[in-house]
Each structure stands twice: as structure tokens, then as C-alpha cells.
Amino acid sequence: ERVPQSGQVLLDGLELSGKIGDYHLVNSITWHGKSFGAYNAMVRVYGNRWFDATKLIDVKYRSESGRGVLELTGSYRGDVDFEITHRLTVFQDRPVMMCELESVSNKAAIPLKLLAFYFRLYAPFKDSPLVDAPNLWDARPCACWLDKGDGRYIGFVTPRLSDADLYFWISPEGGAHPDARYEFSEPITIGPDKTYVPDKSMFMACTLGDGGTNGWATASDALSRQMDE
């Protein structure tokens, strides 16, 4: 196990790395030396505008029995002005990362109206396992990117009755959209210099590996069922 002073957290081959000032909350996710991309937070504000956190400004870390907990805060400065914190929990015995929205702070002089919170995985590959496995009966809530060449996959899983919406898709122009989100019909309004903390936990689990479509189907199903227990 390594801690953020070195810019890395490493547990059982799963390595999260980055540094203050990076664009993403987690600039690099690797597992046993293989790259799986980056992780970030994004929001949708009233008027259908989307904003990534564009600068990592704070990292807190604590080690617990068999796991490490990261609290990562990113900011956006511009048309809106906010800071968002996600809590990531990684485990000693499996390539799983629990991701949870912890808070959003409005740093602007006007109210911030939010319609969705996004958990974003930016992978260096963007195939979909559903192309290879269209007949998955009783499929659990999940979405991932897959490398059909070497079998790498990374994606999100939720419990069966989660309010989250998971859908990874490719635009006609070829852009990757890893849409894993909590969306609301009415905006959440955060006043100037106020902080929003969810009343109900907003979370999802990220899992990764290199077993291709079958590996992803097995891992995501097992993890979702475990989250239901």
C-alpha cells in the first residue's frame, strides 16, 4: 500500500495515481501494469450544460483494515464556480473501487442549479461487451468499456434497485460517453457559498479486469448481487 504523498495508492495490483493540479480526480488507473484510463466527476446544470471538475485541488487519505479511502476534491472555475468531492474506497483483495458523491460546494455569487451528478470513466479503449453478448438474461445494472483485443474491461455496477442510470455509448462522430449518473427531474439548488451533502448516498462500484466479455459479465453480476446483500 502506498499513500498520496508519493502520488499513488496501490493495493493488490490496483494503482490510482495523480497529483494536485491534474485535470481528473484520478489521472491514471492501472492494474498489474495495464492502463485502464482515468476517473473524474461531472455535473449537469440547469439549461443543459455539462461541466467536468477540471482541477484536482485536495486529496485526503486514510488506511483502514484491508482497504484505503481517498477523498478527492476537484474544482471548476468559469461559467459556474464549484468544488466537488468524491470518496473512493479501494480494497486489498480485489480490483474494485467504490465511488461515492460526498459533497458539492457552490463558490459563485449566484445559485447553482444541478440536474445530474456523473461518475466518469475515461478508458483508453471503448468497445462494448454487449456487441458480443446480446442475450444476457437477468442482467444486472452495469455498463463498461471493453478492449476486444486484450480483454481489458472497466465499468460501473450498482445494486438492483439503485436510482443510478448506467449507459456507455459512442456518438456517430466517435465520441465516447461513459454516462453513469444520478439524475433529477427538479434541480438541486445550492446557494452562494453553500455546500450540498446528499441526504441519500449516491454511489456505484467500479470494477476492472482482463477477462473479456465473459470476465466482465461474471464480475459485474457477482458484484451487483453482493451489493444487494
Side-chain angles (χ1 to χ4, degrees):
E1 176 186 333
R2 284 181 253 168
V3 297
Q5 283 79 359
S6 65
Q8 299 166 317
V9 174
L10 176 63
L11 286 95
D12 193 34
L14 176 61
E15 183 175 345
L16 311 181
S17 61
K19 63 183 183 301
I20 297 296
D22 282 345
Y23 186 96
H24 298 295
L25 294 184
V26 178
N27 197 53
S28 175
I29 303 168
T30 61
W31 184 59
H32 296 298
K34 295 182 179 180
S35 174
F36 287 81
Y39 173 88
N40 206 8
M42 188 174 77
V43 300
R44 178 163 69 93
V45 304
Y46 192 75
N48 277 338
R49 295 180 295 161
W50 288 260
F51 298 97
D52 278 319
T54 58
K55 185 178 181 180
L56 180 64
I57 61 172
D58 189 56
V59 178
K60 293 183 175 66
Y61 178 82
R62 67 180 183 272
S63 179
E64 300 177 353
S65 178
R67 61 183 183 175
V69 181
L70 279 163
E71 294 181 359
L72 303 169
T73 301
S75 67
Y76 180 90
R77 307 283 187 248
D79 295 345
V80 294
D81 191 344
F82 67 87
E83 296 176 1
I84 186 166
T85 300
H86 279 201
R87 181 187 300 116
L88 274 54
T89 304
V90 292
F91 300 87
Q92 187 70 51
D93 59 347
R94 50 191 162 153
V96 170
M97 180 171 68
M98 294 297 298
C99 307
E100 182 176 2
L101 172 68
E102 191 168 277
S103 65
V104 182
S105 297
N106 180 15
K107 298 300 182 179
I110 59 174
L112 177 64
K113 296 182 178 182
L114 299 174
L115 288 170
F117 299 111
Y118 287 74
F119 300 67
R120 304 283 276 178
L121 289 172
Y122 297 99
F125 42 86
K126 55 184 180 181
D127 298 320
S128 168
L130 296 182
V131 173
D132 292 329
N135 298 314
L136 294 176
W137 295 102
D138 190 33
R140 309 293 290 186
C142 62
C144 86
W145 296 127
L146 173 76
D147 186 329
K148 292 180 181 177
D150 66 7
R152 283 176 297 167
Y153 62 80
I154 184 169
F156 284 122
V157 181
T158 68
R160 168 71 77 186
L161 299 180
S162 172
D163 293 328
D165 179 27
L166 307 180
Y167 179 52
F168 286 14
W169 57 284
I170 305 294
S171 71
E173 296 76 26
H177 298 268
D179 287 347
R181 67 193 177 208
Y182 284 83
E183 196 165 28
F184 312 98
S185 56
E186 296 295 329
I188 293 170
T189 301
I190 309 173
D193 292 319
K194 300 295 184 181
T195 297
Y196 167 77
V197 177
D199 294 328
K200 181 181 179 182
S201 180
M202 299 184 199
F203 71 96
M204 55 190 69
C206 169
T207 187
L208 55 91
D210 57 6
T213 293
N214 291 336
W216 162 250
T218 300
S220 60
D221 181 82
L223 183 55
S224 178
R225 293 178 190 278
Q226 184 179 11
M227 294 170 75
D228 278 340
E229 294 176 355

